[in-house]
C-alpha cells in the first residue's frame, strides 16, 4: 500500500473513508497524484475550491499578506477586516457581518444570534426559544448542530443534545407555517440541500418561506455555506427566488480555497444583539484570511463566476441528462451544483466514483446513491465536454441491465 495512505491509516482518526488516491499538487481544475496521474476535480473540496486550485490572484493575496501580518486576534483592529466586511456586506446586500472560520462556527453564530434576538427583540420568554430546521439538513458537525440532524449516523453516540430545535420536511412551506409557535425565533434552511444529495426544493418554496417568516415575525436564515458565492448560477442561491434572508451564512469558497473563512451576515437588529464579550473566535476575521476573502470576492465579481456557473452548469446538466443508461435515476441541481442519482441495484455511488477516479475524474458519493458534480467555477466548456465523454465512457463499462439478485450473489 502507498506509504501516505498507510501513515494516515495508522495515525489518523478513521472519521473519513477517502478514495484511494494520494494528491500532491493542484492547479486550476486539475489535481495531480504522487504517481504523476492527472485528475479533473469535479468535487472542489465540497465547493470550497470554487476558484480552482492555487488561483494566482488568490495565492498572491495570501503570500503578500502572510509576509505583512497574519493573525492578531480581534483584540485589535487591522487594516484588512473593515474593507473585507464592507465588500462582503455590499456584495450580499446585508448590513452587518460577523467573521468566523469554518461553516459550522458561522452556523453556531447564527443560532446564538437568533436565540438572543428571540429574547431581546421578539420577546420570547427566556430559555424557551425554538429554531425550526429541515429534515435532511446539513450544517456542520458540532454537538448542537448534529443534535438537530435527521441523519442517524451523525447523531449516534454524541448525545445528549441541545433542546430548542423542531424539524419539518424540506420543501413543504405549509409544514413550516404549521410548526411556528410564539416561541419560534428562526427558520434555518439551505436553499438547496447539498449533503443530503443535492436536493432542489419545489419552485417557489423559498419565496413562500420568506412570506411566512415575514408574516409571523420569524427570522429566515439561509445556510449558503455550500450554495453561496456563485455555485448555483447566482451570487446567492436565494436570488433565484428574489429572496432576501434576515440572516445569511457563508463559508467554504469564501476562503478562496486556500484557508478557512466563514461569516454570519444579518439585519441590524439581529446582529445588534451581540455586545463585546458575548461571542468570539481567536482566528475569526484574521488579516490573512480576510485579505484572501477580499481577493476572492473581487475575483467572483471580475470573472463573472456566477454567470459562468449558470452557463456551464447548464452544459454539464444537459450533457448528463443526455446519457441514457438504466443505472441513472435522476440528474438534478442548479448551476454547477449537480447530483447524479444512481440505481443502487446496478452500482453504488462509491463504486461509480472509484470508476471515475480510474478514468481521471475525482468526485465523491453523497449518501449511497448520489454522485456529486461540482467542479471549480472556472472550468471551461472544453473541460466540461471532456468530463462528459469520460462519464459516458464509464457508463459504457457498466452492465446495461439491472443485475438479478442471483448475479449479485455470484459477484
Ligand atoms: C459544509 C457545510 C457546513 C459546514 O461547514 P464546515 O466548514 O465543514 O464546518 C455548513 N452548512 C452547509 C450547508 C455545508 O454544506
Amino acid at each position: 500500500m502507498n506509504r501516505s495512505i498507510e501513515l494516515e491509516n495508522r495515525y489518523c482518526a478513521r472519521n473519513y473513508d477517502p478514495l484511494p488516491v494520494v494528491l500532491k499538487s493542484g492547479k486550476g481544475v486539475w489535481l495531480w497524484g504522487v504517481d504523476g496521474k492527472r485528475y479533473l476535480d469535479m468535487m472542489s473540496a465540497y465547493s470550497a475550491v470554487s476558484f480552482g486550485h492555487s488561483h494566482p490572484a488568490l495565492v498572491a493575496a495570501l503570500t503578500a499578506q502572510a509576509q505583512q501580518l497574519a493573525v492578531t486576534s480581534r483584540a485589535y483592529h487591522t487594516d484588512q477586516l473593515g474593507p473585507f466586511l464592507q465588500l462582503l456586506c455590499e456584495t450580499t446586500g446585508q448590513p452587518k457581518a460577523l467573521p468566523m472560520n469554518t461553516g459550522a462556527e458561522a452556523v453556531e453564530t447564527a443560532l446564538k444570534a437568533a436565540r438572543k434576538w428571540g429574547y431581546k427583540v421578539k420577546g420570547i420568554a427566556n430559555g424557551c426559544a425554538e429554531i425550526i430546521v429541515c429534515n435532511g439538513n446539513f450544517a456542520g458537525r458540532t454537538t448542537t448542530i448534529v443534535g438537530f440532524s435527521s441523519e442517524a449516523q451523525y447523531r449516534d453516540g454524541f448525545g445528549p443534545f441541545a433542546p430548542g430545535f423542531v424539524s419539518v420536511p424540506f420543501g413543504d412551506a405549509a409544514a413550516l407555517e404549521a410548526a411556528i409557535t410564539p416561541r419560534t425565533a428562526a427558520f434555518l434552511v439551505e436553499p438547496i440541500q447539498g449533503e443530503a444529495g443535492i436536493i432542489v426544493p419545489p419552485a417557489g418554496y423559498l419565496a413562500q418561506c420568506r412570506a411566512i417568516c415575514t408574516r409571523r415575525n420569524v427570522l429566515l436564515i439561509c445556510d449558503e455555506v455550500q450554495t453561496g458565492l456563485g455555485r448555483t448560477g447566482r451570487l446567492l442561491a436565494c436570488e433565484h427566488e428574489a429572496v432576501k434572508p434576515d440572516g445569511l451564512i457563508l463559508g467554504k469558497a469564501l476562503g478562496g480555497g486556500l484557508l478557512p473563512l466563514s461569516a454570519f451576515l444579518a439585519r441590524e437588529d439581529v446582529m445588534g444583539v451581540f455586545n463585546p464579550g458575548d461571542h468570539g473566535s481567536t482566528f475569526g476575521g484574521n488579516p490573512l484570511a480576510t485579505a484572501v476573502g477580499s481577493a476572492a470576492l473581487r475575483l467572483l465579481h471580475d470573472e463573472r463566476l456566477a454567470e459562468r456557473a449558470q452557463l456551464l452548469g447548464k452544459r454539464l446538466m444537459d450533457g448528463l441528462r443526455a446519457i441514457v443508461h438504466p443505472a441513472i435515476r435522476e440528474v438534478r441541481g442548479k448551476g454547477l451544483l449537480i447530483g447524479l442519482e444512481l440505481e443502487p441495484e446496478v452500482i453504488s455511488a462509491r463504486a461509480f466514483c472509484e470508476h471515475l477516479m480510474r478514468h481521471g475524474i475525482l468526485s465523491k458519493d453523497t449518501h449511497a446513491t448520489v454522485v456529486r458534480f461540482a467542479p471549480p467555477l472556472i472550468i471551461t466548456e472544453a473541460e466540461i465536454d471532456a468530463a462528459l465523454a469520460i462519464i459516458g465512457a464509464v457508463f459504457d463499462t457498466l452492465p446495461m441491465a439491472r443485475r438479478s439478485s442471483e448475479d449479485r450473489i455470484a459477484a
Side-chain angles (χ1 to χ4, degrees):
M1 192 189 282
N2 176 284
R3 174 106 181 115
S4 305
I5 296 181
E6 208 174 276
L7 289 174
E8 276 190 33
N9 286 349
R10 188 177 321 152
Y11 293 109
C12 194
R14 296 298 297 273
N15 58 327
Y16 278 84
D17 182 19
L19 289 177
V21 59
V22 181
L23 300 170
K24 71 155 190 211
S25 63
K27 187 84 202 143
V29 297
W30 300 101
L31 287 164
W32 282 267
V34 286
D35 57 358
K37 188 172 162 71
R38 188 178 81 154
Y39 301 91
L40 181 63
D41 185 359
M42 296 286 277
M43 227 276 285
S44 311
Y46 299 94
S47 300
V49 184
S50 284
F51 306 96
H53 296 276
S54 301
H55 192 290
L58 301 181
V59 172
L62 177 85
T63 51
Q65 190 61 39
Q67 289 169 10
Q68 193 70 28
L69 181 66
V71 173
T72 53
S73 86
R74 296 231 359 242
Y76 316 103
H77 299 280
T78 70
D79 63 352
Q80 294 301 314
L81 181 57
F84 164 72
L85 295 177
Q86 180 184 20
L87 187 55
L88 184 62
C89 287
E90 287 177 358
T91 302
T92 57
Q94 294 287 341
K96 293 274 182 180
L98 196 162
M100 297 295 279
N101 312 282
T102 64
E105 288 173 302
V107 171
E108 289 278 355
T109 303
L111 300 174
K112 288 170 84 170
R115 282 179 171 176
K116 197 159 184 181
W117 175 88
Y119 303 130
K120 306 286 175 190
V121 180
K122 183 167 174 172
I124 298 170
N126 209 20
C128 293
E130 284 176 353
I131 293 173
I132 300 175
V133 299
C134 289
N135 298 343
N137 71 75
F138 182 84
R141 299 292 198 156
T142 65
T143 48
T144 293
I145 291 171
V146 299
F148 61 75
S149 172
S150 54
E151 199 60 35
Q153 192 197 354
Y154 297 172
R155 301 164 53 89
D156 182 37
F158 300 129
F161 299 115
F165 296 95
V166 174
S167 200
V168 298
F170 180 61
D172 182 348
L176 166 64
E177 174 103 66
I180 292 173
T181 73
R183 292 151 49 144
T184 307
F187 174 50
L188 173 68
V189 65
E190 299 156 80
I192 295 175
Q193 288 189 330
E195 294 318 295
I198 324 290
I199 311 293
V200 184
Y205 171 64
L206 207 62
Q208 286 173 323
C209 293
R210 173 68 281 179
I212 292 166
C213 287
T214 302
R215 185 156 27 84
R216 306 290 297 272
N217 193 26
V218 166
L219 301 176
L220 174 66
I221 300 179
C222 288
D223 181 348
E224 295 231 30
V225 170
Q226 187 156 170
T227 54
L229 303 178
R231 174 57 55 188
T232 71
R234 296 288 169 87
L235 182 89
L236 300 173
C238 303
E239 292 172 10
H240 289 287
E241 299 200 349
V243 162
K244 185 167 175 190
D246 306 305
L248 171 69
I249 306 162
L250 294 174
K252 292 198 168 114
L254 190 57
L258 294 176
L259 35 68
L261 175 60
S262 66
F264 172 59
L265 295 113
R267 279 174 15 190
E268 298 271 1
D269 64 321
V270 177
M271 206 65 93
V273 302
F274 287 121
N275 297 303
D278 285 356
H279 186 51
S281 160
T282 304
F283 287 94
N286 70 74
L288 184 61
T290 51
V292 172
S294 293
L297 290 170
R298 282 194 294 268
L299 198 60
L300 193 65
H301 175 265
D302 294 348
E303 312 262 301
R304 297 169 158 268
L305 290 178
E307 263 172 63
R308 281 194 70 77
Q310 175 149 32
L311 280 169
L312 291 157
K314 183 175 185 314
R315 192 180 186 96
L316 181 54
M317 181 94 84
D318 289 349
L320 289 170
R321 287 191 168 148
I323 300 173
V324 178
H325 194 283
I328 300 177
R329 244 192 208 169
E330 193 184 16
V331 178
R332 56 177 181 251
K334 264 207 175 94
L336 280 170
L337 183 60
I338 297 177
L340 171 73
E341 182 161 0
L342 294 168
E343 191 58 65
E345 290 290 305
V346 183
I347 188 165
S348 72
R350 168 76 186 204
F352 193 84
C353 287
E354 288 174 0
H355 279 297
L356 284 175
M357 183 187 84
R358 282 191 285 276
H359 287 78
I361 288 183
L362 289 179
S363 181
K364 195 71 169 69
D365 47 299
T366 167
H367 291 78
T369 57
V370 182
V371 179
R372 173 197 308 257
F373 291 112
L377 310 184
I378 56 156
I379 194 168
T380 64
E381 274 90 351
E383 286 156 351
I384 294 268
D385 294 347
L388 284 166
I390 293 172
I391 296 163
V394 167
F395 275 110
D396 288 342
T397 67
L398 303 183
M400 275 306 285
R402 285 178 193 213
R403 288 190 289 173
S404 69
S405 49
E406 234 167 71
D407 288 346
R408 275 204 307 282
I409 290 161

